[in-house]
Amino acid sequence: IQSEITPEELERDTRIMRRMGMIGPDEDPMELMLEAMKEMIGGYYNPEERKLYLIAGMTGEAQKPVILHELIHALEDQHYDLRARSEPFEDDPDRLFAEKCLIEGSAEFARERYQAGHPDVAKLYMAEQANPANAAKQMKILAKMPAFLLVSTLLHYQLGPAFVTRAVGDDFPAGIHALYEDGPVSQEQLMHPERWFGDKQDYPQNVVWAGEFPAAAGEGWEKVHDMTSGELDLAVYLDFFLGSTNGRMNLMGMMQGQYVVPRAKKAAAGWDGGRVYFMEKEGLPVAWIEALVFDTVEDATEAVDALMDAFRKANDGTFALTG
């Protein structure tokens, strides 16, 4: 994690999360993520070191599916340089999500194929996954996790394999190569595969700011961050305030493929592009500016209605629309 985000970036992102109301003043997002990862990760391929790690605990033949998953990362890293592919999208979470879904989807597709051909190994692996003690630990940690910290990562392993399976067909090597050459580019395309597989692929509109916000705001204002904002980002934000779990993981929903409440999912579904900008001035809260594009006026109206309700919930009912 420290190789992917500097202490300065972590401090910046924590300030932004707190400004948006999505973590409490005493919650540390890094500690929360590390606690979850220690219980959920079985193996890890480090593209910087080009080394594969296994977490202690799994034994014998049960390790083989995890090893296979990580070896696929290692093999594809040799051909496509996974870190070099991801680095340009560090400030483009919408595009980065699609890239990570492709990487994890490929490895999961291969793991599932391997297990299908080795049912005895698959049985041992699934028994390890279903270990009651491990499951209880995971459930306890997930129950207190702010959902937005983990939902996108979990979806890499759900949406990614489904997308890759549909794309590669019976020729995995050729199919995955074609995806690495020309694959999905947005959260929207992974959440709605028909918008990539269809006759007319739906690409997000590019949102560009017309000027510099700090200069327009006046003396003392400084830029904090500027990045894309995808459909999943919008859905998870709405779910945080409009859902029934106070922004925590909806464990039953995730098991059924429902990662946000229906209203949040529906309000975000018309998304067609987005960008968010944060700036601050000493003594004042972080200012948050967001531009969103939608497919239709009706989609935009539905999203605005949901956002207004979310803003009111985030601000104890004091938020009011002006202008």
Side-chain angles (χ1 to χ4, degrees):
I1 294 175
Q2 289 173 341
S3 72
E4 295 179 0
I5 184 170
T6 66
E8 293 76 20
E9 289 170 335
L10 177 61
E11 191 273 335
R12 173 202 69 195
D13 291 350
T14 302
R15 292 204 320 276
I16 289 172
M17 292 177 212
R18 290 192 173 127
R19 173 66 181 94
M20 296 174 74
M22 299 181 80
I23 59 171
D26 299 322
E27 287 185 306
D28 184 326
M30 180 67 81
E31 287 184 6
L32 289 166
M33 284 298 295
L34 287 176
E35 188 177 2
M37 287 183 174
K38 282 189 287 187
E39 295 299 334
M40 298 178 68
I41 289 180
Y44 175 61
Y45 171 71
N46 187 324
E48 288 189 338
E49 300 177 328
R50 300 206 163 180
K51 288 183 178 179
L52 183 160
Y53 294 89
L54 288 179
I55 304 303
M58 297 188 77
T59 57
E61 298 281 285
Q63 299 177 92
K64 285 187 173 182
V66 177
I67 295 171
L68 188 282
H69 176 110
E70 304 306 334
L71 284 175
I72 291 294
H73 288 329
L75 178 64
E76 291 181 353
D77 190 33
Q78 294 177 38
H79 290 272
Y80 304 110
D81 195 342
L82 301 182
R83 188 158 179 79
R85 287 181 61 91
S86 298
E87 280 181 345
F89 312 126
E90 289 180 354
D91 290 329
D92 188 353
D94 186 42
R95 178 68 177 81
L96 184 60
F97 177 86
E99 184 69 20
K100 289 191 174 182
C101 279
L102 174 56
I103 293 169
E104 297 302 341
S106 176
E108 280 295 277
F109 174 88
R111 179 186 64 78
E112 290 168 4
R113 283 288 181 93
Y114 172 77
Q115 288 181 211
H118 300 80
D120 292 342
V121 172
K123 185 176 180 180
L124 292 171
Y125 171 75
M126 295 306 294
E128 289 271 5
Q129 298 298 300
N131 181 296
N134 292 339
K137 284 182 183 178
Q138 291 182 13
M139 295 291 277
K140 185 177 179 180
I141 290 169
L142 289 175
K144 68 178 183 180
M145 278 289 292
F148 78 96
L149 286 175
L150 203 55
V151 165
S152 62
T153 300
L154 294 176
L155 288 180
H156 297 157
Y157 298 87
Q158 290 186 15
L159 301 182
F163 190 97
V164 168
T165 298
R166 183 171 174 179
V168 303
D170 295 326
D171 192 343
F172 177 38
I176 202 66
H177 176 71
L179 281 177
Y180 274 117
E181 291 290 312
D182 181 21
V185 300
S186 69
Q187 297 167 1
E188 178 187 43
Q189 291 176 336
L190 269 298
M191 296 166 71
H192 309 278
E194 69 279 2
R195 299 182 189 178
W196 192 85
F197 288 102
D199 295 334
K200 185 179 180 182
Q201 292 180 337
D202 186 357
Y203 288 91
Q205 294 195 45
N206 185 31
V207 177
V208 180
W209 305 122
E212 291 295 326
F213 289 116
E219 185 178 354
W221 285 95
E222 295 181 350
K223 174 182 175 180
V224 176
H225 200 24
D226 175 18
M227 59 185 181
T228 60
S229 174
E231 179 181 337
L232 179 62
D233 302 317
L234 176 59
V236 170
Y237 177 80
L238 292 173
D239 178 76
F240 194 94
F241 295 106
L242 303 180
S244 59
T245 59
N246 294 318
R248 269 38 191 178
M249 293 293 299
N250 180 354
L251 303 180
M252 292 303 296
M254 285 296 295
M255 291 176 186
Q256 299 166 7
Q258 179 182 307
Y259 45 90
V260 295
V261 292
R263 186 185 180 194
K265 183 177 182 179
K266 189 171 183 291
W271 177 97
D272 198 37
R275 193 161 197 91
V276 61
Y277 191 104
F278 299 95
M279 62 180 183
E280 64 184 351
K281 181 177 180 178
E282 188 174 355
L284 295 175
V286 172
W288 165 22
I289 303 121
E290 185 157 9
L292 291 165
V293 185
F294 292 90
D295 294 322
T296 68
V297 172
E298 291 75 15
D299 289 329
T301 301
E302 183 176 33
V304 167
D305 287 343
L307 279 167
M308 293 305 102
D309 287 344
F311 291 154
R312 292 186 189 99
K313 182 77 177 292
N315 293 278
D316 298 322
T318 61
F319 179 84
L321 185 64
T322 62

